[in-house]
Amino acid sequence: MSDRFLPICLLFAIAVPLDALAQQGDVTAGATVFKKCAICHVAETDQNKVGPSLNGLFGRTAGTHPNFAYSPAMQDAGKGGLVWNETSLRDYLHDPKAKVKGTKMTFVGLKDDTEITNLIAYLKQYSK
C-alpha cells in the first residue's frame, strides 16, 4: 500500500519547491515592469520624486516615508496598521484606489499577477 503513495510523495517533493520558486519572481522582468512606476518612483535610492521612494519599502508603515506629502488616506491607512509586505503590496498594486480609498496615486494598477510577482521581486532587492 505504501508503494502507491511513493509517486505522489515524489510529485509533491518536486512540485512544492518549484511553486516556491515561481512565487519569488524574476528580478529582471520586474525591472521592466518597474518602468511603469519609474515616472513617479525610484527604488535604487532613498529619494522622493512625485511619489515616495520605494527603497526600503518592505516593512515600512504606509504613509511614513520622510519628506513626502502623503494623502490623508495613506496616512490613515498607516495609522490603521497598513505595513508594506508582499500581501499588502500585491493587493495595492492590483487596485490602489480600492486598497487605500482616497490615495492620490493615479496609477490604475497592474492586473497581471506575474507582473506583480516580478515587480515585488525587483523591489525586494532594495529592501535589504
Side-chain angles (χ1 to χ4, degrees):
M1 185 167 208
S2 65
D3 290 339
R4 280 192 220 167
F5 295 106
L6 183 60
I8 294 170
C9 291
L10 288 174
L11 177 64
F12 280 114
I14 293 168
V16 170
L18 291 177
D19 183 49
L21 284 174
Q23 293 299 316
Q24 290 177 359
D26 180 332
V27 172
T28 303
T32 300
V33 177
F34 186 75
K35 290 178 183 178
K36 298 176 184 181
C37 312
I39 295 167
C40 299
H41 298 279
V42 295
E44 301 84 10
T45 64
D46 197 20
Q47 181 178 356
N48 296 325
K49 286 176 71 176
V50 172
S53 170
L54 302 179
N55 188 278
L57 178 67
F58 290 89
R60 182 191 306 162
T61 300
T64 63
H65 191 272
N67 302 316
F68 186 78
Y70 287 96
S71 65
M74 188 61 76
Q75 292 174 11
D76 290 345
K79 290 174 187 169
L82 178 59
V83 174
W84 298 119
N85 58 40
E86 285 188 47
T87 303
S88 61
L89 186 58
R90 181 174 297 280
D91 290 346
Y92 186 73
L93 289 171
H94 266 292
D95 190 349
K97 293 191 181 301
K99 180 71 174 175
V100 179
K101 291 176 182 27
T103 183
K104 65 182 181 181
M105 188 164 102
T106 58
F107 185 68
V108 297
L110 296 170
K111 304 309 175 205
D112 185 307
D113 286 326
T114 302
E115 281 191 342
I116 293 173
T117 298
N118 293 337
L119 179 58
I120 287 171
Y122 175 79
L123 292 173
K124 274 184 156 184
Q125 72 181 336
Y126 298 108
S127 286
K128 296 177 181 178

